[in-house]
Amino acid sequence: MNTLSEYGFTDRIRGLFSFTFSSAVPTPGHPALEPARAIRADRGRVLLITANGPLHVETDGTVVTGDWVALARNSDDVAAPPAVVGRLPRYSTLQRKKAHAPLSEAQVLAANVDLVGVVVPIDRPLSANRLERTLVAAWDSGAVPLVILTKADLSSRFDEVVGQTVERARGVEVFTTSAEAGDGLDALHSRIGAGSTLALIGPSGAGKSTLINALVGFHAQDTGEVRAGDGKGRHTTTVRELIPLGAGSVLMDTPGVRGFALWDAEDGLEAVFGDIEELFGHCRFTDCAHGSEPGCAVQNALGTGELEERRWLSYQKMQRELAGLHRRQSVAEQRRHGRSFHRMAKEAALAKDFRNRFREG
């Protein structure tokens, strides 16, 4: 039977749980709260892993895969279902703007992950813009991004794609793997480390589920065929789910995503495009728009080839996207949803304190 420790419940998490819920005093019929982790969430119903094994619980929809929660049981009424009564602040949150939302809303893809593996299939042309965009979101999550190249055994352009990826990743660790041949799996397994959670994100057909099966050593996830014409695959993963890897290491598979609309990702933008933002300080004028102004460091770098035009256009596009997002988060919306914004601000402050405590150990 799987236990909490197999899903990343370390001494550090135990200490943070005790600290967060120290004011919860046991009462007759309601013993002390117990820790649990959401290993799958779907439409207000979550599958938790507890000290006594898995348990399905109804929630209000705010608990997502990866969350650590406080579970209460009523010992006086055995018919009463267990209930989630609290949640640890998330020390990392991978999110994007919810697609097709009438108002700007965030969709949380993963919570409390230590590593975000950006999965890039090597058997198709590299989309540099997509890689950069996903790395922006990964850096902004609070986790550490990795780039994981898959299907190395299927590519005739191995060296070329690997070289391009290393260049585009700009210092992010790149792992080259072949699930079929077993190449690179030991190195990736070692990088995850005991007690850590790795979330895999990438398009459908990238080989995420096949990679997970190879890492865990058994058929944990269904896999599907990829169309030869466009390299696209069908969605074999439909929910986000935690899968124990051993020694407390955990994998999270996620459904393939076609687009990745950013959500409040300024920190991630700086992490990926810091070289461009550094150029701004070398412009002649502090209010330089980086167009035709004399002494513009950006235009000079473009002219000399120091800055790739594609990269500059990618940065501008994401910057405009974030600016548009903030405009839609108007003052009127904040007033209408004042309580919600207040709660989010309070939660963000708690999460920041929680993250600091988590990193300090």
Side-chain angles (χ1 to χ4, degrees):
M1 182 177 66
N2 290 326
T3 64
L4 268 176
S5 61
E6 292 182 76
Y7 284 90
F9 189 66
T10 61
D11 290 339
R12 181 176 296 180
I13 297 295
R14 180 182 290 104
L16 291 169
F17 185 91
S18 299
F19 172 82
T20 304
F21 298 107
S22 59
S23 60
V25 180
T27 59
H30 295 84
L33 301 179
E34 60 178 287
R37 193 177 195 187
I39 59 177
R40 189 169 69 236
D42 187 24
R43 299 179 182 177
R45 183 175 173 84
V46 298
L47 177 62
L48 302 177
I49 187 69
T50 72
N52 299 312
L55 176 70
H56 279 101
V57 175
E58 302 289 337
T59 71
D60 59 1
T62 60
V63 177
V64 303
T65 304
D67 272 330
W68 291 102
V69 300
L71 189 68
R73 303 176 190 262
N74 192 325
S75 58
D76 288 344
D77 184 1
V78 294
V84 172
V85 296
R87 188 190 75 200
L88 283 181
R90 296 163 180 160
Y91 61 81
S92 68
T93 307
L94 178 66
Q95 56 190 350
R96 66 172 179 173
K97 181 185 174 296
K98 188 177 293 186
H100 311 302
L103 296 176
S104 296
E105 297 180 44
Q107 178 188 20
V108 178
L109 302 178
N112 300 319
V113 298
D114 303 277
L115 302 166
V116 175
V118 181
V119 179
V120 179
I122 203 172
D123 63 337
R124 66 188 74 169
L126 173 69
S127 172
N129 288 354
R130 183 188 182 99
L131 175 61
E132 289 168 346
R133 174 176 289 270
T134 312
L135 285 174
V136 166
W139 273 120
D140 201 71
S141 71
V144 176
L146 309 173
V147 176
I148 303 173
L149 293 171
T150 58
K151 307 184 182 183
D153 56 307
L154 300 180
S155 176
S156 60
R157 301 169 51 246
F158 179 90
D159 292 337
E160 179 184 351
V161 176
V162 172
Q164 289 177 350
T165 305
V166 170
E167 179 183 356
R168 303 302 186 195
R170 303 185 68 82
V172 173
E173 290 180 88
V174 177
F175 292 83
T176 303
T177 67
S178 167
E180 294 296 330
D183 296 337
L185 301 182
D186 289 341
L188 180 57
H189 196 301
S190 298
R191 178 62 182 86
I192 300 171
S196 295
T197 300
L198 166 68
L200 300 176
I201 59 173
S204 299
K208 300 185 299 297
S209 297
T210 302
L211 177 62
I212 285 178
N213 290 339
L215 285 169
V216 300
F218 62 90
H219 188 87
Q221 298 290 83
D222 289 333
T223 60
E225 296 297 324
V226 176
R227 294 198 300 257
D230 55 14
K232 294 181 179 179
R234 61 185 177 89
H235 294 277
T236 54
T237 300
T238 57
V239 295
R240 295 164 190 88
E241 183 175 6
L242 297 185
I243 301 168
L245 182 57
S249 300
V250 185
L251 299 172
M252 182 190 294
D253 196 5
T254 64
V257 291
R258 290 188 178 89
F260 213 110
L262 299 179
W263 177 265
D264 288 351
E266 281 79 4
D267 290 344
L269 199 68
E270 181 181 1
V272 176
F273 294 98
D275 57 320
I276 293 179
E277 297 191 351
E278 186 177 352
L279 288 173
F280 299 163
H282 297 286
C283 292
R284 181 183 302 178
F285 302 108
T286 56
D287 60 347
C288 183
H290 316 300
S292 58
E293 293 87 350
C296 174
V298 172
Q299 291 301 318
N300 181 61
L302 288 169
T304 62
E306 176 187 350
L307 174 60
E308 182 186 8
E309 183 177 10
R310 182 213 57 80
R311 184 172 165 76
W312 170 237
L313 294 176
S314 177
Y315 171 81
Q316 287 183 302
K317 182 178 180 180
M318 283 185 261
Q319 192 180 50
R320 288 194 300 269
E321 185 177 323
L322 290 175
L325 174 68
H326 293 317
R327 284 195 298 271
R328 289 190 294 275
Q329 295 168 338
S330 64
V331 174
E333 288 179 17
Q334 292 185 38
R335 288 175 178 171
R336 279 200 305 273
H337 306 288
R339 292 184 180 178
S340 175
F341 276 94
H342 178 73
R343 175 182 59 78
M344 290 169 62
K346 183 177 180 181
E347 184 174 289
L350 286 171
K352 182 177 181 180
D353 179 65
F354 182 80
R355 186 180 297 123
N356 290 337
R357 291 178 181 274
F358 181 84
R359 289 173 177 168
E360 289 169 2

